[in-house]
Amino acid sequence: METNFTGWQVRCGTALLLTILLLSSTMPAAESTAKSDDPLVEQGTLALKKGRFDEAIETFCRAIQADGNNAAALSGRGLAYVNKGEWDKAIADFSVAIGLDGKDPTARFNRGFAYFRKGVSSKAITDYNEAIRLNPNYADAYRDRGYALALSGRPAEGLPDLTRAIKLNADDQSAYNSRATAYARLGDWDHAIADYDRAIELDPKDASAWTDRGYAKTMKNELVPALEDLNRGVELSSKEPSAWCTRAFCHNRRGDVEKALADYNRAIELDAEYVDAYRDRGYLRGLRNEFEKAFVDLNRAVALGKDNASTWLRRGIIWARKKKFDEAVSDLTESIRLDAESAEAHFHRALIHLEQDRAEDAITDYREVIRLEPGGAASYQKWDVNPVSDADEKNGTNVDRLEDALAKYKDEARTHYIRAVTLQKDEKLDAAIAEYDKSVLLYPRCPEVHYNRGLAYRRKGEMEKAAVDYTQAIALDARFVNAYSNRGYVYFKLGEWDGSLADFNKVLELDPQNADARKSIDIIQKMQTQGDSQ
């Protein structure tokens, strides 16, 4: 099965050397204006610190009644609402406070947190951006923006923020946990475990760090040390159903299904409406072909978590295992509606389309799989839990069949690619990008297409789009030196110095004689030193 691109190695540009002059000064960090000599604000703040949130709200209300322009009281009441989980009320208060004092980064940060907890990550990230603009050394804002990006399906973009947060505050335990989450989303279990190590060192009683490190070790198939961590996690949080569910996953990977089921049972005893436990217990039973019990659990999970994409995904997979393809497609389609970025849901729907001889529909879904998770075909085998039929066994695995179907579009994709390169050389950038788009749509596995489209976007000054394409090229070819170099340049232009530095260091790792990368690293390090001294 061919996945290489012989003859496609046409690249419109190479690496870029940073030639930006060093700045002589930087703007000072904005000072929060959420301070007040108002005794009611001080009284409300004290109640807030002691966890007396209703009392704090009542006190801040009196301060606001006395002065409707009291930004500190509005921010304080917003924080109290945050602690009560009343996100809309918190957002409303922070918004008024921001209107009264647009230079306060703390109000922006707090509103971003409220948006994030409400599930509106895009608005949260916008507020974190503004908080960082107002205070370029705002460690918590870098941390939370990086975490929000990681949970929004953009972990690679979040990593530079999280690394910056740790540089600004090396003892922030939550920053290490957050960066570990980003690494885990990327499947980089070694770096995730290293960050969990540091988080546990800073707070040995953080149950979630033990549990999450145990999960990471499980994913590395280091099952004995994983279980040790997960036992510690359960010990520290025996009333927390997620700790039991995570240990159940490890038991299952160890082949100890009865212990896995016992842990799921315990999670449900602790919380009779805990969606994850019903979903995972039902899925495990389905994989054992215990369909009656499986659907009792999976139906319960869907009823409790109608907005939870993973519940529909798991039930859809078990429907497919039972050869109920219409029901499976219905569930998988709902999962994708709730989470369009789920590569696994697209993968399973592609398999069903293939099984039903709907090749075009299968390839449409499989292209989405590659866009969302550009790793090699072998990386998708982990999802292929339903065996192929005997009649199809001679054609290889399900993934092989999808790859063979996709390969039929290579020649047409290459035609658009060559046309795009010609247009790009003539500076007809919009027309070139349109041709690259067609090539990517037909056959998304060629890193050069993404790389050259990234060059076109950079030439147009659309740096964010360029960065996305360079990242996709790297995902398809982890040794693509020029993609790292150009992404490093783009990150620099966007002010993301840590990400830029990481990319140029990667260039040196792959090409130790690369003089341009060395010069670029020197420039960034001098600028960082200069910024830290301001």
Side-chain angles (χ1 to χ4, degrees), residues 74-83 85-99 107-124 127-128:
L74 285 157
S75 287
R77 190 172 69 177
L79 280 175
Y81 284 133
V82 162
N83 281 280
E86 298 183 25
W87 313 121
D88 289 331
K89 290 181 179 180
I91 289 165
D93 274 352
F94 291 135
S95 296
V96 176
I98 289 166
R108 292 280 185 178
F109 172 80
N110 288 333
R111 189 174 71 174
F113 179 80
Y115 273 129
F116 177 74
R117 291 302 302 271
K118 188 183 175 183
V120 190
S121 294
S122 59
K123 289 187 176 181
D127 272 342
Y128 294 141

Side-chain angles (χ1 to χ4, degrees), residues 351-364:
L351 291 183
I352 295 170
H353 289 321
L354 200 62
E355 187 74 18
Q356 297 184 316
D357 295 322
R358 297 201 297 266
E360 286 293 334
D361 290 337
I363 291 305
T364 297

Side-chain angles (χ1 to χ4, degrees), residues 216-389:
K217 290 177 179 178
T218 301
M219 295 304 293
K220 285 194 69 185
N221 217 35
E222 297 175 356
L223 299 180
V224 172
L227 189 57
E228 292 173 357
D229 278 355
L230 293 165
N231 287 340
R232 180 62 173 154
V234 167
E235 179 184 334
L236 290 168
S237 57
S238 60
K239 303 288 188 186
E240 175 53 57
S242 65
W244 294 89
C245 270
T246 309
R247 192 174 71 174
F249 175 70
C250 181
H251 281 314
N252 187 35
R253 289 287 288 265
R254 284 166 59 90
D256 200 336
V257 175
E258 296 308 318
K259 284 186 178 180
L261 290 171
D263 274 356
Y264 288 133
N265 294 342
R266 179 57 179 153
I268 290 169
E269 287 173 11
L270 290 167
D271 183 353
E273 296 188 349
Y274 190 53
V275 173
D276 291 2
Y278 287 108
R279 178 199 64 208
D280 294 348
R281 188 176 69 178
Y283 185 64
L284 174 56
R285 286 170 167 171
L287 293 180
R288 300 177 76 191
N289 296 330
E290 298 173 2
F291 294 121
E292 185 175 349
K293 290 181 179 179
F295 282 110
V296 170
D297 277 346
L298 291 166
N299 291 342
R300 177 68 171 152
V302 167
L304 290 169
K306 283 186 168 61
D307 294 330
N308 185 324
S310 65
T311 61
W312 297 93
L313 168 63
R314 294 294 172 230
R315 193 174 71 173
I317 294 170
I318 300 306
W319 278 126
R321 190 174 184 84
K322 199 179 178 185
K323 305 296 184 184
K324 297 287 187 179
F325 295 128
D326 290 341
E327 292 89 340
V329 168
S330 177
D331 276 2
L332 294 169
T333 299
E334 179 63 10
S335 178
I336 291 167
R337 186 189 71 79
L338 292 166
D339 179 10
E341 303 294 294
S342 172
E344 187 177 1
H346 283 288
F347 175 80
H348 284 285
R349 196 170 67 175
L351 291 183
I352 295 170
H353 289 321
L354 200 62
E355 187 74 18
Q356 297 184 316
D357 295 322
R358 297 201 297 266
E360 286 293 334
D361 290 337
I363 291 305
T364 297
D365 269 329
Y366 194 50
R367 285 171 179 144
E368 279 297 290
V369 174
I370 297 168
R371 181 184 70 82
L372 294 164
E373 295 219 8
S379 66
Y380 309 140
Q381 293 286 3
K382 62 182 180 289
W383 296 328
D384 194 5
V385 296
N386 294 332
V388 297
S389 62

Side-chain angles (χ1 to χ4, degrees), residues 49 64 119 130 140 201 251 273 298 331 352 364 389 394 422 451 455 468:
K49 289 180 178 178
I64 294 164
E130 183 63 11
D140 289 355
E201 181 183 336
H251 281 314
E273 296 188 349
L298 291 166
D331 276 2
I352 295 170
T364 297
S389 62
K394 63 181 181 299
T422 302
Y451 173 76
L455 291 176
V468 170

Side-chain angles (χ1 to χ4, degrees), residues 42-53 56 60 79-80 83:
E42 292 182 1
Q43 183 182 336
T45 302
L46 181 62
L48 191 60
K49 289 180 178 178
K50 291 184 177 181
R52 300 199 297 262
F53 304 125
F60 287 128
L79 280 175
N83 281 280

